Amino acid sequence: MTSPSSTSSAPKRAIRVFVSSTFRDMGAERDELVKRVFPALRALCESRGVTWGEVDLRWGVTDEQRAEGQVLPICLAEIARCRPYFLGLLGDRYGWVPDTLDPKAVEAAPWIEEEPGASVTELEILHGVLRDPAMADHAFFYLRDPAYAESRPAEAYREVPTPDEVRDLGPAEAERRAADRRERLVALKARIGDSRFPVRDYPDPVALGARVLADLSGVIEARFPADSVPDPLDAEAALHDAFARSRATVYVGRDADAAALDAHAAGDGPPLVVTGESGVGKSALLATWALRYRAAHPEVPVILHFAGASAASADPRSMLRRLLGELRRRYGLSLEIPDDPEALRLAFANALHMAAARGRLVLVLDALDQLDDRDGAPDLAFLPPVIPPGVRLLLSTLPGRPAEAVASRGWPTHPVAPLTQAERGQLIDVYLAGYAKVLAPALRARVIAAPQSANPLYLRVLLEELRQWGAHETLPEALERYLAAADPAALFTRVLARWEADYDRDRPGLTADAMTALWAARRGLAEAELLDLLGPGDDPLPGAVWSPLFLAAASALVSRAGLLGFFHDHLRRAVAERYLIADAERAAAHRRLADYFAGRETGPRRIAELPWQLARAGEWDRLAALLGDLGFFTAAWAADPDDVKVAWAAVEAHSDHRLVEAYREVIEDPGWWKTETIDAVASLMGDMGHRHEALTLREHFVAANRTSGDSSSLATALLNRGIGLLQDGDWDDAEASLLEAEALFRDLDERDGLARVVSVLGHVELARGQPDRAMEFFKKGEQLFRHVGDQAAMAGSFGDQANVCFDRGEYDTALAMFDAALSVERAQGHRHGVAASLNGKGLVLDAQGDPDGALASLIEAEAISREIGDPEGVAAAVGNRGLILKNRRDLAG
């Protein structure tokens, strides 16, 4: 197995800090730095494209190491590795004096023999700073006010004889040695004061944190000013590369996994998809392999994209724009980067072919299951069905829609197995070595033996907690408490408890309130929204109070299109199990967000969240009133009609409110209302089974547009009236309205409208019992939709033709066309069409002798139809299931 350190060279834009302090009396200072200050500095570095790291060797120095004298060479080696930044913290203790000098330490720094009786802390300061002229302006010393120690136990905070010394040496000799250490401490402080390095006094650990933050922020500003940040494309690439390095540093590789990816990169054919349970190490495998492959094959461009690596990384449109930008600059392609989703997909497919013509390309897309559910991204609509030769595409996903899309395309998969015990031990050593820490052999063996440590996510979260444990002597007890967690979700429950203890100091309940807000959000929360929710009264929570918790939780969170959410579902489960056990608690969490968004102006975030939150909170009166607000309803319908239908379906299922009554004024007197409002109400009525009301509004549109002189609007009104008349069973009047619309669309050369008219005329012929004539219209409609690029309508045409084929007994053709329709409809997010195609597919499967497959298809169709409030879809799915069960002699079913 290969050490992660060999996978990539050290980044050029980097800051690493070594912290030197005494052991027993500096626990509070170390906690302040590790849990609050260093995360803030890390975030500042990341905003500048800089890698941050710190080493504090006062954590994890085991009794075994101390007894064997191993600690000193470790300290000296880490100082050499961490130059050029050094933080020296001194209180009222001189620190541990080794009984003997390790030969390895003497070999590395022969001068230490000239400092007999020196503590490890002093040797660190001498080696790291005072004996190195190159450390000018790269070291800071912090001396604690002696008053801080006066109220604390003398044996822990001041240089006094220890009980063991008194027992072993006698009181007089023990006091003489303690006095010698006090004198050495005074001399060391004087030596530091006489040096050219900055020296700060501080009264307590919190003040220390503020001064370290100010000093190192100044270093970062000086070395990496804001105007030194790379251009956006470079900056985004740097974030993905940094994400890859972060995963690679804790990865323990398998030769078989690497060989499979090597073979894929060297070959041709479809993409390879890495699969496995959540937390098993898919991202780490791809990251480690990609960094190694890039170093070994500099002639082959390797583009990495990890969903969750940056704020925009999970947004499919941002992802495609970024990938197009990378292809354009790497291959010198002449191409535009559009904004329209369909145009983006076409541009991406074309760019892949153009790049493949210029040479081999490796493209790694990790965590497809974490892409935002828009533009068909979970169904892989952005990936062309055929990947051009020379483009080696590596993907990863959890089970779900992306995995189903992979299966439907027949792409090969490579599963990642859990860790063996040997691999667990290696990961422990590699992970902790990054912080210059080790576990005592007994503790290490205990972690390795735990079955749940076979999951790398579990193991990494566990090690992250252990490395931050301030009191090393209580580490065994802490480890047992953590290992009582049987899975990652249970482990995250214990992490939440630790966050509460560490970060609720300045704002009680901060952890619970922040995590439950993120849990309740539909699509995540912007940081500004979260601060509003967490703040006192109408004021947002101060960033200084929020940042420590946010930065501590950063590895467990992800920003998708600027909205914070959970990176792993395990943390979501943990939040629910810790804070939201009762249904009333969950409803209250949703009500809290509903109240917040209710106070916002109507816009995309209010439209997306408020109805959803009210439904989850069971606030049916409020939701009905909101949907009955015509201004909000019109805006929401324009944003996502299916969301509105889902909301109304829920209201009618759980209350006495009815949508017809909500819009009665519009239905009875449409002349008072805006066109877009009338059209939205008419569409809603038609889609949810209220045909008479919908037809009334369609008739109004026809009459109004005949007098307006707007031929295009009249043609659309006639088309919609024809659809309503057809649904009402009036085929002759429907045909007349449609033919008039057809003539207008032809005169206007509006092919999209013409395509819709032709398709509806096909339904008229089908209703009249003329399937051959209907098929002619459906095929003509398909051609027109294909010409204008209307994917959703083309899918509907596939379904129409499939129904005719089914009636003819052409089951194989019908099934293929329903599957083609489903593929497009799922990609478009057209749930009504998905339900209709599933219903038809269920009938075909039953006719082909697959009743189990038929029932599965119909059950999904029923669920979707219920969700969007389509009573006809529900009736069709339930009725068809009944027929299948009857044929199977399941009369009770």
Side-chain angles (χ1 to χ4, degrees):
M1 298 184 182
T2 304
S3 169
S5 62
S6 66
T7 61
S8 64
S9 59
K12 294 180 180 179
R13 294 172 64 86
I15 285 184
R16 194 168 177 87
V17 173
F18 183 92
V19 181
S20 175
S21 69
T22 49
F23 178 73
R24 292 180 180 276
D25 63 332
M26 288 288 177
E29 281 88 342
R30 293 196 303 274
D31 278 353
E32 187 71 20
L33 294 179
V34 170
K35 296 176 180 178
R36 297 176 180 274
V37 177
F38 291 162
L41 291 168
R42 183 180 301 111
L44 177 60
C45 282
E46 290 174 356
S47 73
R48 307 290 171 87
V50 177
T51 301
W52 164 273
E54 79 268 357
V55 172
D56 175 8
L57 289 176
R58 289 305 173 267
W59 187 103
V61 179
T62 66
D63 290 337
E64 289 83 356
Q65 284 177 314
R66 188 175 292 111
E68 296 172 6
Q70 294 177 355
V71 68
L72 185 55
I74 294 174
C75 291
L76 299 182
E78 279 299 325
I79 291 171
R81 189 165 73 93
C82 292
R83 284 190 174 102
Y85 293 101
F86 186 101
L87 303 183
L89 281 57
L90 288 175
D92 294 276
R93 292 183 61 86
Y94 179 58
W96 174 58
V97 178
D99 295 328
T100 59
L101 294 176
D102 188 285
K104 294 180 180 178
V106 175
E107 181 180 356
W111 58 265
I112 64 175
E113 291 187 302
E114 303 170 8
E115 302 285 346
S119 69
V120 169
T121 302
E122 180 164 11
L123 293 174
E124 288 174 353
I125 292 171
L126 291 172
H127 183 62
V129 182
L130 299 185
R131 294 178 58 90
D132 185 357
M135 288 299 292
D137 301 323
H138 291 278
F140 300 88
F141 289 97
Y142 304 89
L143 308 183
R144 188 174 61 200
D145 186 337
Y148 179 82
E150 292 301 323
S151 61
R152 286 162 175 79
E155 64 274 10
Y157 282 87
R158 293 188 294 282
E159 197 57 78
V160 296
T162 67
D164 288 346
E165 287 179 323
V166 173
R167 183 192 66 233
D168 296 338
L169 303 174
E173 178 61 17
E175 174 54 34
R176 188 196 67 77
R177 291 198 180 189
D180 180 67
R181 292 195 295 268
R182 288 193 291 269
E183 291 176 4
R184 283 179 171 272
L185 177 61
V186 171
L188 175 59
K189 290 182 177 180
R191 191 171 181 179
I192 292 170
D194 292 339
S195 72
R196 61 190 177 283
F197 300 103
V199 178
R200 324 284 196 219
D201 295 324
Y202 69 94
D204 55 53
V206 174
L208 168 71
R211 291 173 190 181
V212 171
L213 181 62
D215 286 336
L216 291 183
S217 294
V219 168
I220 296 167
E221 291 289 348
R223 284 196 61 191
F224 306 105
D227 58 7
S228 73
V229 177
D231 68 43
L233 198 58
D234 287 335
E236 187 73 9
L239 290 172
H240 288 274
D241 286 351
F243 185 94
R245 288 192 297 270
S246 73
R247 293 304 182 266
T249 56
V250 294
Y251 177 68
V252 177
R254 297 185 178 100
D255 292 340
D257 288 336
L261 271 57
D262 283 340
H264 176 73
D268 286 306
L272 179 64
V273 185
V274 176
T275 61
E277 67 179 77
S278 178
V280 79
K282 299 181 295 296
S283 298
L285 168 60
L286 288 176
T288 305
W289 176 86
L291 293 174
R292 180 184 60 78
Y293 184 88
R294 179 187 283 171
H297 302 275
E299 75 285 358
V300 179
V302 179
I303 301 175
L304 309 178
H305 190 93
F306 296 86
S310 69
S313 60
D315 178 358
R317 298 181 194 178
S318 296
M319 176 184 69
L320 288 183
R321 282 193 285 267
R322 179 198 168 226
L323 295 176
L324 284 168
E326 289 286 357
L327 293 172
R328 181 169 63 180
R329 73 174 181 175
R330 288 170 183 261
Y331 291 97
L333 303 181
S334 177
L335 55 85
E336 295 296 323
I337 301 179
D339 292 320
D340 177 72
E342 181 63 24
L344 267 174
R345 288 196 291 266
L346 292 174
F348 182 58
N350 290 335
L352 289 179
H353 283 278
M354 296 166 68
R358 289 162 170 78
R360 187 164 289 263
L361 162 70
V362 173
L363 180 57
V364 177
L365 304 181
D366 178 58
L368 297 177
D369 53 283
Q370 294 184 25
L371 292 176
D372 295 343
D373 189 356
R374 59 187 300 193
D375 304 334
D379 302 301
L380 310 188
F382 63 92
L383 289 175
V386 178
I387 305 300
V391 174
R392 311 311 296 134
L393 187 56
L394 281 163
L395 313 171
S396 77
T397 184
L398 288 174
R401 286 166 59 189
E404 292 168 3
V406 166
S408 70
R409 298 189 184 194
W411 289 347
T413 60
H414 178 80
V416 178
L419 296 173
T420 66
Q421 287 201 352
E423 290 167 343
R424 299 173 211 177
Q426 188 173 355
L427 192 147
I428 292 170
D429 297 340
V430 168
Y431 187 87
L432 292 180
Y435 300 94
K437 304 183 193 305
V438 296
L439 278 176
L443 300 183
R444 181 178 181 275
R446 178 71 181 93
V447 174
I448 290 173
Q452 58 269 47
S453 293
N455 183 290
L457 172 64
Y458 183 103
L459 184 51
R460 178 173 175 168
V461 173
L462 174 65
L463 296 173
E464 179 69 10
E465 288 300 292
L466 295 180
R467 82 164 185 88
Q468 295 189 60
W469 197 258
H472 187 70
E473 60 274 10
T474 62
L475 198 58
E477 292 81 0
L479 174 59
E480 291 306 318
R481 286 196 298 272
Y482 283 121
L483 286 179
D487 55 39
L491 181 59
F492 270 121
T493 300
R494 288 156 174 78
V495 173
L496 289 169
R498 203 266 298 172
W499 288 348
E500 292 168 9
D502 288 343
Y503 303 114
D504 286 11
R505 179 183 70 190
D506 299 322
R507 198 283 200 182
L510 174 62
T511 301
D513 290 345
M515 294 300 125
T516 54
L518 291 174
W519 175 91
R522 179 187 185 187
R523 295 174 179 167
L525 293 171
E527 189 171 359
E529 294 170 348
L530 193 52
L531 292 178
D532 285 343
L533 285 159
L534 297 174
D538 295 330
D539 297 325
L541 184 72
V545 178
W546 159 245
S547 290
L549 172 60
F550 169 61
L551 295 168
S555 63
L557 303 178
V558 62
S559 177
R560 299 183 175 94
L563 301 178
L564 285 174
F566 297 129
F567 195 94
H568 293 285
D569 192 57
H570 301 294
L571 178 55
R572 175 179 295 279
R573 287 171 48 203
V575 169
E577 291 170 5
R578 185 166 181 83
Y579 306 120
L580 303 165
I581 298 176
D583 290 343
E585 293 171 326
R586 299 186 180 208
H590 289 297
R591 191 176 300 111
R592 176 184 170 207
L593 264 63
D595 292 342
Y596 171 73
F597 283 105
R600 300 272 298 273
E601 292 186 4
T602 296
R605 290 292 294 139
R606 188 173 191 254
I607 290 170
E609 290 284 345
L610 181 53
W612 193 87
Q613 296 297 343
L614 289 171
R616 293 302 183 279
E619 296 278 356
W620 307 116
D621 292 343
R622 290 177 64 186
L623 180 53
L626 177 70
L627 296 172
D629 179 330
L630 291 173
F632 180 87
F633 163 74
T634 305
W637 184 266
D640 192 332
D642 279 349
D643 272 1
V644 176
K645 289 185 282 187
V646 168
W648 264 121
V651 168
E652 293 197 331
H654 293 91
S655 75
D656 294 331
H657 296 287
R658 295 294 177 263
L659 67 90
V660 172
E661 295 306 315
Y663 307 114
R664 177 67 67 188
E665 292 182 352
V666 178
I667 296 167
E668 293 182 348
D669 195 0
W672 286 95
W673 309 100
K674 293 181 179 179
T675 299
E676 56 266 29
T677 298
I678 304 170
D679 188 54
V681 172
S683 298
L684 174 66
M685 294 295 162
D687 288 350
M688 298 195 71
H690 301 284
R691 293 175 178 170
H692 174 73
E693 290 79 3
L695 191 55
T696 298
L697 294 174
R698 298 304 183 199
E699 293 285 5
H700 164 78
F701 271 122
V702 171
N705 284 299
R706 285 195 189 281
T707 60
S708 71
D710 184 344
S711 297
S712 180
S713 296
L714 175 59
T716 300
L718 288 164
L719 167 61
N720 289 330
R721 184 180 69 173
I723 294 171
L725 289 166
L726 172 63
Q727 292 173 337
D728 215 31
D730 190 345
W731 305 327
D732 292 339
D733 284 349
E735 183 181 43
S737 188
L738 292 166
L739 290 174
E740 184 180 357
E742 180 185 17
L744 288 171
F745 281 130
R746 286 190 188 280
D747 290 341
L748 295 166
D749 195 26
E750 292 187 6
R751 298 189 182 185
D752 54 343
L754 182 61
R756 286 181 287 155
V757 168
V758 168
S759 291
V760 181
L761 284 169
H763 283 282
V764 172
E765 295 299 332
L766 197 61
R768 287 171 168 166
Q770 300 294 324
D772 293 342
R773 178 68 174 154
M775 183 64 94
E776 293 177 9
F777 279 111
F778 292 150
K779 286 184 177 295
K780 186 176 181 180
E782 177 196 343
Q783 293 172 356
L784 288 167
F785 288 132
R786 194 182 298 276
H787 180 77
V788 299
D790 190 335
Q791 297 289 316
M794 191 169 67
S797 182
F798 291 155
D800 293 337
Q801 295 175 60
N803 283 318
V804 175
C805 291
F806 175 74
D807 289 339
R808 291 172 172 173
E810 299 169 0
Y811 299 139
D812 290 343
T813 303
L815 185 61
M817 299 204 76
F818 276 130
D819 281 335
L822 274 170
S823 177
V824 176
E825 285 158 345
R826 288 191 191 278
Q828 296 286 324
H830 185 209
R831 285 178 280 182
H832 190 280
V834 170
S837 294
L838 286 168
N839 212 336
K841 182 176 179 179
L843 292 176
V844 177
L845 290 171
D846 181 54
Q848 289 182 319
D850 182 7
D852 292 333
L855 287 172
S857 187
L858 292 169
I859 288 170
E860 185 181 357
E862 178 191 351
I864 295 173
S865 297
R866 289 190 187 280
E867 184 184 16
I868 64 176
D870 178 9
E872 291 186 358
V874 173
V878 172
N880 290 331
R881 285 173 59 201
L883 291 174
I884 294 173
L885 293 170
K886 178 183 176 184
N887 293 337
R888 297 177 70 172
R889 300 186 181 277
D890 182 358
L891 300 183

